[in-house]
Amino acid sequence: MFKQVLIIADIEGSSGCWDYGASSFLTPEWARACVAMTKDVGSVADALLRAGVETIRIKDFHRTGYNLLPEMINDDCQIIHGYRRGPVPGLGDPGRVQAVFFLGMHAASGTDGFLAHTLTSRIARLEVNERPLAEIELFAASLAPFEIRPVFFSGCPVACQQARNAVEHIYTYPIDKSTGGQHFNPESWRSGLALAAVEALSNEKTGLYRPVGPLHTAVTMRDGEDAARKIAARWNLKCIGDQIIFSAQNMQMLYLELIRICYLTPLVEKTLPFCLMAYNL
Ligand SMILES: [Zn+2]
């Protein structure tokens, strides 16, 4: 059984996010979604602690990383807010844990899951070796060098299917977003989530996620040809129509290239350590 675990928590697949407004920053729906997301994560954390887990680190991974309400989560958990640059992009140092649990996740860009996107909605579609690429693959691959296994995933049914397609033997627990929030019973769903997470503590079948390269990548930009051409030129990448095309040796290299495409300019990349320090302050 895993005794030290990491939880990566997003909001789109949590029990309080039922539209785009709830995933946006500082809307009233968002505030309610933060409470629900916190309760989801909190109930999983409580259940894992009761089951004998000794260390729980929780990374808030939605947007800027300030959505979870720490006062509502067991004090024995360590919550990581904000954005850390490395060694794992966004997360920083994952610490000494053996398994990662993904909660509140969403499906990949260009697929028909609930609020589907990969990293940013500016990417209309993201394909790697002709398959849509979901965020779990980027995160799980970044954690593999630290011997951390991706054992559990929750999100909409499409997101769960994509997780199972990518990571062999991963346990999943879906949330049906098709009924809307009014007809949803968060308490009963949440207790099922916590139960499923505890079961995943003995999921020894899932190995480290290390997909074999080369990874041929096509990033279709929502803003069209001009936007794609501009970004491709900035980073010396190939561009065909509204697609930026490149190959990466492995998933970590692919992740770094996507971060450049989505968020950076060469100047920002150079000054990033300073900017991030200021931002997190
Ligand atoms: Zn999110």
Side-chain angles (χ1 to χ4, degrees):
M1 191 190 107
F2 303 113
K3 294 271 187 184
Q4 281 81 27
V5 309
L6 171 68
I7 293 175
I8 288 184
D10 207 343
I11 208 167
E12 285 85 352
S14 73
S15 68
C17 179
W18 297 93
D19 53 31
Y20 182 75
S23 73
S24 311
F25 191 48
L26 291 181
T27 63
E29 303 94 296
W30 170 74
R32 283 193 292 274
C34 286
V35 173
M37 172 191 181
T38 302
K39 286 182 178 170
D40 299 348
V41 172
S43 66
V44 168
D46 287 344
L48 295 182
L49 289 168
R50 275 197 305 272
V53 170
E54 288 160 3
T55 305
I56 302 182
R57 308 190 76 211
I58 302 170
K59 175 70 186 89
D60 185 334
F61 229 103
H62 181 65
R63 288 186 186 251
T64 54
Y66 290 94
N67 309 272
L68 291 170
L69 307 162
E71 60 277 16
M72 288 172 61
I73 294 177
N74 192 307
D75 286 341
D76 293 336
C77 303
Q78 185 196 350
I79 302 177
I80 309 153
H81 288 292
Y83 189 93
R84 312 286 157 99
R85 185 159 170 256
V88 178
L91 172 70
D93 180 357
R96 291 172 60 82
V97 301
Q98 299 111 27
V100 54
F101 289 62
F102 294 92
L103 305 183
M105 303 294 286
H106 49 80
S109 280
T111 66
D112 60 358
F114 179 75
L115 297 178
H117 66 280
T118 306
L119 298 183
T120 161
S121 52
R122 289 190 297 125
I123 296 179
R125 191 169 182 83
L126 172 55
E127 283 193 354
V128 172
N129 294 342
E130 292 171 355
R131 208 167 52 77
L133 181 87
E135 285 178 7
I136 179 181
E137 298 180 64
L138 299 169
F139 304 158
S142 305
L143 293 167
F146 300 88
E147 308 278 318
I148 300 170
R149 306 190 206 182
V151 298
F152 183 79
F153 181 98
S154 180
C156 75
V158 176
C160 286
Q161 185 60 55
Q162 289 170 3
R164 288 193 300 270
N165 290 348
V167 180
E168 230 186 335
H169 305 303
I170 191 167
Y171 285 25
T172 60
Y173 185 77
I175 180 163
D176 181 7
K177 294 273 175 173
S178 64
T179 54
Q182 307 91 317
H183 307 290
F184 186 79
N185 181 338
E187 283 77 26
S188 93
W189 178 81
R190 217 170 264 146
S191 55
L193 173 74
L195 226 75
V198 167
E199 274 172 32
L201 281 175
S202 43
N203 175 8
E204 303 272 355
K205 271 186 164 179
T206 305
L208 301 171
Y209 185 62
R210 282 188 285 220
V212 189
L215 304 170
H216 303 294
T217 309
V219 187
T220 309
M221 300 307 293
R222 195 172 300 282
D223 292 337
E225 288 189 25
D226 285 353
R229 204 177 318 117
K230 222 164 145 185
I231 296 169
R234 190 184 285 162
W235 296 107
N236 246 326
L237 301 170
K238 193 169 146 191
C239 182
I240 302 172
D242 57 0
Q243 287 194 332
I244 301 167
I245 314 274
F246 62 89
S247 286
Q249 284 171 333
N250 58 43
M251 199 56 88
Q252 289 101 298
M253 303 296 281
L254 171 61
Y255 195 3
L256 291 179
E257 202 66 84
L258 287 176
I259 288 170
R260 288 192 184 116
I261 289 172
C262 296
Y263 306 116
L264 302 181
T265 65
L267 178 67
V268 170
E269 188 174 49
K270 279 202 197 87
T271 56
L272 195 63
F274 174 76
C275 295
L276 269 180
M277 193 182 72
Y279 166 80
N280 281 324
L281 277 178

